[in-house]
Amino acid sequence: MSTTSAAETRRQADESRVAWMQRRLARHVPELVRLAIPAMGSRLGILMMAFADTVIVGRYSTDDLAYLTIANNALVTPLLVIGIGLFIGVIIFAANAFGRGDEAEVGRIFRRNLPFAVAIGLIMLALCFAGEPLLRLLGQTPVMAAESAPLIAVLGLGLPAHLLFFVSAGVLEGVKKPAVAAIAIVAANVLNALMDYALVWGAWGFPEMGAMGSAWTTTIIRWLMAGVLVAYVLYAPAMKRFGARGAARQRFDEWTAQRRMGYASAISLGAEVFAFGMLSIVAGWISTVAVAAMGITFNLMSIPFMLATGIGSATSVRVGIAHGRGVRPDMALAGWTGLGLCWVVTLPLGVFIATHPELFFALYSNDAALLPIAVSLIVYIWIVLPFDGGQNVVAMALRGVGDTWVPTLIQSIAYLGLMIPLSYALSIPFGHGPVGLMQATLIASVFSIAAQGGRFWWLTRTPVSAGSRAGAL
């Protein structure tokens, strides 16, 4: 072959690669947005309920806000996130089955996970009745432990319901129907705000219950959302073709792969949320005001973070579909496109929040003693958020290609091995106070996204060839 002929061949191959990428990007971007918007809506809706809880309780009492923060962060949220991790495979496996046209498997996924969700939820509920001794073991004051423990018990009553909701929402996301969960959550938010106001403040003739009123509201809403979504999957005409009704009729060993993914995800997410829960414990060693300030900051940051998790969910679906069809370059493109979309969304939001800290603090509290501490934490959000949200997207992309234990190890190292000891060291021995909590979070998130990004690149590094083909999915 002549030099001119070889150069022409390379040019044509390069043009083919560029044309393929343009064609697939033109498909991935709108599909990611289409899937991510309702997924973001459902996750943002969940966090908006927590936002309403924090605002209403924070304006009622700084002490009540501290008790509710400890109750959620020390036990309830770690248990909930571990439970969600156990069922993360529902989304991935439903997407894979849907991508290859196996509608019957989608129904089997739903049927086998409902009783599993109830069982796991009841185990978590039992653990919630040991709240006070656990908090004392973690070094909290007798008052903090005594006031937070009843909140943990009431919030625990809603954990089985949230897992049922997540299984149903996961199946719907996997078959590209995430809007159903989003609509249910919008309605739930309206009801949650009204019930919170009534039960926390004692409005409209209801008893004034403070933080306990918010805990009961959360539990009631979780059961209502679970009932709506389970009923939709079982009885909606649009879901009839998947055969979701009836007994599971699958042996436990026939869906080991999904559970293995769940075990890894539960450890990974559990490590991260346990580490963030430990930030509340470290803040409790500093002061009650530090706990409240941290609760405000992480609640505020969690709202745009949920947008990132919605994008991550959509990314896992796109990567999972490409994985199901065996198109490795398309898996890579779907994953990196999801990360780019995450940064486009979260960075401007983070900058806006961090440049208006007093404005956002005013939503939560009018406590002058709390203001300077909370503001000193809020200004870190703009730099922490893109890395924290981005590592979540890459983790979901890795799960879309069936990689489980390596990202679990990475996130465990980042948040257990780095963030917990750094949060203590920076906050107390080095004297950075509550700001050290945000500095530790930043360091851990940067490590996590770098390590997981390298792993994803390694698994999907096959270059695009002229013969690569991907259909319209």
Side-chain angles (χ1 to χ4, degrees):
M1 182 182 292
S2 67
T3 303
T4 302
S5 177
E8 178 63 20
T9 299
R10 286 194 297 271
R11 185 188 65 79
Q12 291 176 353
D14 289 341
E15 289 179 353
S16 178
R17 282 192 289 269
V18 171
W20 180 88
M21 290 188 68
Q22 290 175 338
R23 186 170 65 253
R24 293 309 295 161
L25 277 172
R27 181 66 181 174
H28 279 308
V29 172
E31 277 294 292
L32 275 169
V33 172
R34 187 182 72 81
L35 290 169
I37 287 176
M40 287 189 297
S42 63
R43 285 157 176 78
L44 184 60
I46 294 292
L47 257 295
M48 287 305 295
M49 286 191 281
F51 171 77
D53 296 343
T54 305
V55 168
I56 292 172
V57 174
R59 288 194 160 273
Y60 178 80
S61 162
T62 296
D63 285 346
D64 275 48
L65 176 58
Y67 304 146
L68 186 63
T69 297
I70 287 290
N72 274 308
N73 292 357
L75 188 58
V76 175
T77 299
L79 287 175
L80 180 59
V81 172
I82 289 170
I84 287 173
L86 288 172
F87 295 95
I88 203 73
V90 172
I91 301 173
I92 308 299
F93 277 73
N96 287 344
F98 186 68
R100 63 178 181 266
D102 190 351
E103 295 182 345
E105 176 62 13
V106 174
R108 285 191 290 269
I109 289 169
F110 178 75
R111 295 197 304 273
R112 71 197 186 203
N113 279 282
L114 283 189
F116 193 37
V118 172
I120 297 299
L122 291 176
I123 292 171
M124 295 192 303
L125 171 58
L127 293 174
C128 287
F129 288 103
E132 186 167 358
L134 174 65
L135 292 176
R136 286 179 175 270
L137 183 65
L138 291 172
Q140 298 304 297
T141 65
V143 172
M144 183 74 78
E147 293 291 341
S148 299
L151 301 176
I152 292 174
V154 171
L155 290 166
L157 294 171
L159 293 179
H162 198 103
L163 296 185
L164 291 171
F165 170 83
F166 184 81
V167 167
S168 305
V171 168
L172 291 168
E173 286 186 26
V175 300
K176 299 185 177 182
K177 295 182 182 295
V180 179
I183 293 170
I185 290 174
V186 169
N189 266 276
V190 175
L191 183 59
N192 180 74
L194 293 173
M195 289 180 64
D196 254 355
Y197 181 68
L199 295 178
V200 172
W201 287 88
W204 308 316
F206 285 90
E208 182 180 336
M209 301 172 68
M212 182 58 76
S214 176
W216 275 113
T217 294
T218 298
T219 291
I220 292 168
I221 294 295
R222 282 174 174 162
W223 278 106
L224 289 174
M225 290 195 302
V228 169
L229 249 66
V230 169
Y232 182 90
V233 177
L234 289 175
Y235 299 108
M239 299 299 293
K240 184 177 181 180
R241 61 191 172 117
F242 298 107
R245 285 153 60 172
R249 296 198 179 102
Q250 275 191 294
R251 296 195 314 270
F252 203 61
D253 60 354
E254 290 180 339
W255 51 292
T256 302
Q258 182 210 305
R259 293 197 315 279
R260 283 178 178 167
M261 177 178 286
Y263 300 149
S265 298
I267 293 172
S268 176
L269 295 173
E272 183 176 353
V273 76
F274 173 77
F276 278 101
M278 285 302 297
L279 295 184
S280 295
I281 299 301
V282 174
W285 296 341
I286 300 171
S287 69
T288 300
V289 174
V291 175
M294 197 218 69
I296 288 172
T297 302
F298 280 91
N299 180 264
L300 183 58
M301 189 169 71
S302 66
I303 295 172
F305 179 80
M306 280 299 113
L307 301 181
T309 64
I311 293 171
S313 177
T315 301
S316 72
V317 171
R318 295 301 298 167
V319 174
I321 290 173
H323 179 64
R325 301 178 70 244
V327 186
R328 185 172 292 186
D330 208 36
M331 291 156 49
L333 191 60
W336 296 124
T337 303
L339 179 59
L341 180 61
C342 170
W343 283 342
V344 167
V345 170
T346 58
L347 185 57
L349 285 173
V351 170
F352 181 71
I353 291 171
T355 53
H356 300 81
E358 292 89 354
L359 173 66
F360 284 98
F361 172 81
L363 297 174
Y364 291 90
S365 177
N366 54 10
D367 188 337
L370 185 58
L371 173 63
I373 299 175
V375 166
S376 70
L377 302 184
I378 292 171
V379 295
Y380 270 85
I381 287 178
W382 78 272
I383 191 169
V384 173
L385 182 61
F387 290 108
D388 192 26
Q391 65 86 26
N392 179 271
V393 171
V394 179
M396 291 299 290
L398 284 168
R399 292 183 178 96
V401 303
D403 191 33
T404 54
W405 290 109
V406 173
T408 296
L409 177 62
I410 291 170
Q411 289 184 312
S412 297
I413 292 171
Y415 293 102
L416 293 177
L418 286 177
M419 192 172 77
I420 291 178
L422 282 173
S423 66
Y424 170 76
L426 293 172
S427 298
I428 298 176
F430 282 89
H432 294 191
V435 169
L437 305 176
M438 297 299 287
Q439 294 169 339
T441 303
L442 174 61
I443 294 169
S445 298
V446 169
F447 172 83
S448 182
I449 193 173
Q452 290 191 96
R455 174 68 174 174
F456 185 70
W457 171 83
W458 178 258
L459 292 178
T460 61
R461 68 191 184 281
T462 301
V464 179
S465 66
S468 292
R469 294 290 182 267
L473 286 175

